[in-house]
Amino acid sequence: MDGKNTKLSYPLEKYDKDVAGRSFHNGRFVQRMREKAASHPNVRMEQGTVTSLVEHKGTVTGVQYKTKDGKELSASAPLTIVCDGCFSNLRRALCNPKVEAPSSFVGLILENINLPHINHGHVILADPSPILFYKISSTEIRCLVDVPGQKVPSVTSGELGRYLKTVVAPQIPPELYDSFIAAVDKGNIRSMPNRSMPADPQPTPGALLLGDAFNMRHPLTGGGMTVALSDIVLIRNLLRPLRDLHDSATLCKYLESFYTLRKPVASTINTLAGALYKVFCASPDKARQEMRYACFDYLSLGGICSEGPVALLSGLNPRPLSLFLHFFAVAIYGVGRLMIPFPSPRRMWLGARLISGACKIIFPIIKSEGVRQMFFPATVPAYYRAPP
């Protein structure tokens, strides 16, 4: 930010060597997982486009789907896992979707160049919003430019290319500039809405919602796959002791515990992603500017001030209370700086607005996640459900 940079690393001293951050081509990664699943003798892979869920007396009994050659078929199962992604057309039957799209990511691939910090993701705190760089193969770097609002400049008219060259390019590190311009000129530019949607399930016998169809957060911190894989491990552990899935009503009641057990990891990553995005965006508001500077400088302090937030955003520390304390430590740090060398009335008023702005950022996100489930999950009855 503004010519300054700081390097943050995962606090991995307490973990085995196989614990690490990973960046990758998402499509290739998902395809490899499908291949791995299909290699098991008790798995049969069928491909088609699911058109609807099949229901009988309020219980989901399977799906209707269309094959590549246009055949309409149905598949039945005692439990249907619905995970049809961020553009899900099946989620409405299984949750109360409140989807927000505060911005879009415009994606480019930079080739045959190294990032300033090897094996680290890079966040540029630019104006009007952040730019990300991270390695996805031995020769490729993914660049994601956040474009606020609902509308991305047109690619076909050349408006997007001009925006990237005139507004974005001057703000990226000089060593990446030529490669960035080359990627823009190459023209393989894609855009994707950044969606967020709190988990608000409607427990339905015979079905379970997972992945981006169920819960989304701003992708600034790259937490989507962490939450998805964490949810899968939870579901695996809940289903493992069961021998019969055919009593749909009892199974549905039992699986309600999933929605509470997932909260520590999911709500920590979701809340931090939403809060960091709002803090990292440039703003004409002086109090928001101070919060942004305070956040960057707080992370630059090192020790617990950098390790704590990195452990939270990576899922290594799934404790919402730690997130809450770090967030307000940043706000108090920002206020403390304003009081030096002396607390003038103007600086005190700015400090009060900084604290107020911090509350307006984080409390709505916590409310949408659910205060009780997030901070006091053990008080929720479903937390203690035993296998049927």
Side-chain angles (χ1 to χ4, degrees):
M1 181 177 75
D2 298 341
K4 296 185 292 182
N5 74 84
T6 188
K7 189 164 99 169
L8 315 175
S9 298
Y10 296 120
L12 297 176
E13 296 78 21
K14 294 180 277 184
Y15 298 91
D16 293 334
K17 286 182 181 176
D18 62 341
V19 177
R22 287 285 180 262
S23 54
F24 41 77
H25 277 279
N26 188 69
R28 291 181 197 172
F29 180 68
V30 172
Q31 200 58 37
R32 291 289 186 279
M33 286 199 290
R34 286 177 180 152
E35 289 167 8
K36 184 75 173 170
S39 71
H40 286 266
N42 60 337
V43 171
R44 191 177 85 227
M45 180 85 81
E46 290 191 27
Q47 284 188 280
T49 302
V50 175
T51 52
S52 64
L53 298 174
V54 178
E55 288 191 47
H56 178 67
K57 295 182 180 177
T59 297
V60 173
T61 57
V63 294
Q64 288 278 138
Y65 69 99
K66 191 180 280 189
T67 61
K68 271 186 180 177
D69 51 9
K71 281 186 190 168
E72 287 272 3
L73 299 172
S74 64
S76 299
L79 181 62
T80 301
I81 308 285
V82 178
C83 46
D84 56 336
C86 63
F87 299 109
S88 171
N89 62 353
L90 302 175
R91 64 162 68 106
R92 290 194 174 278
L94 305 173
C95 76
N96 303 304
K98 299 182 187 75
V99 181
E100 287 182 17
S103 65
S104 295
F105 264 154
V106 171
L108 304 154
I109 289 183
L110 281 58
E111 296 175 323
N112 301 313
I113 191 167
N114 286 322
L115 286 165
H117 300 294
I118 302 298
N119 294 331
H120 282 68
H122 292 60
V123 184
I124 317 298
L125 299 193
D127 187 351
S129 54
I131 305 161
L132 307 183
F133 292 92
Y134 55 94
K135 203 151 194 165
I136 53 171
S137 79
S138 57
T139 60
E140 297 167 305
I141 289 166
R142 168 78 70 207
C143 170
L144 296 174
V145 178
D146 186 85
V147 179
Q150 305 291 318
K151 199 164 179 270
V152 175
S154 167
V155 178
T156 49
S157 69
E159 190 185 350
L160 181 57
R162 283 193 297 276
Y163 175 83
L164 293 172
K165 285 182 176 181
T166 57
V167 177
V168 177
Q171 300 186 72
I172 67 173
E175 57 265 54
L176 300 175
Y177 182 87
D178 290 343
S179 189
F180 180 84
I181 295 294
V184 175
D185 288 338
K186 194 174 180 182
N188 188 17
I189 304 170
R190 298 181 183 179
S191 66
M192 181 80 172
N194 291 328
R195 294 164 170 246
S196 60
M197 185 185 83
D200 190 3
Q202 285 176 198
T204 305
L208 190 70
L209 197 57
L210 277 181
D212 280 354
F214 171 52
N215 182 206
M216 295 181 281
R217 76 288 311 143
H218 195 284
L220 173 71
T221 60
M225 194 61 80
T226 308
V227 173
L229 295 176
S230 170
D231 282 354
I232 288 163
V233 170
L234 264 178
I235 285 294
R236 179 200 65 184
N237 292 343
L238 287 169
L239 294 178
R240 183 171 269 164
L242 306 184
R243 292 290 168 264
D244 182 10
L245 302 177
H246 286 85
D247 185 347
S248 297
T250 304
L251 181 64
C252 180
K253 196 83 176 159
Y254 168 62
L255 290 179
E256 280 181 22
S257 61
F258 164 69
Y259 303 120
T260 303
L261 293 170
R262 72 183 293 275
K263 274 293 173 181
V265 172
S267 63
T268 300
I269 290 174
N270 294 348
T271 305
L272 188 59
L276 272 185
Y277 177 69
K278 289 182 176 175
V279 170
F280 281 173
C281 283
S283 170
D285 182 351
K286 188 79 172 131
R288 285 283 292 273
Q289 289 172 23
E290 287 294 336
M291 184 73 177
R292 194 182 193 218
Y293 291 131
C295 188
F296 184 87
D297 290 344
Y298 180 85
L299 292 170
S300 304
L301 292 173
I304 189 65
C305 300
S306 65
E307 289 177 2
V310 171
L312 289 163
L313 73 83
S314 60
L316 291 172
N317 177 12
R319 294 189 185 90
L321 184 59
S322 293
L323 163 61
F324 187 82
L325 294 174
H326 275 289
F327 187 81
F328 279 99
V330 170
I332 292 163
Y333 175 70
V335 172
R337 297 193 321 169
L338 288 170
M339 298 300 111
I340 297 170
F342 60 88
S344 67
R346 182 176 158 278
R347 284 168 167 263
M348 289 170 70
W349 171 240
L350 188 57
R353 282 178 49 220
L354 194 157
I355 294 290
S356 169
C359 293
K360 286 176 184 173
I361 286 172
I362 200 163
F363 284 134
I365 303 173
I366 289 174
K367 185 182 176 187
S368 69
E369 288 290 326
V371 177
R372 186 181 175 192
Q373 291 93 331
M374 193 168 166
F375 292 101
F376 311 104
T379 68
V380 179
Y383 191 78
Y384 300 100
R385 297 265 154 86

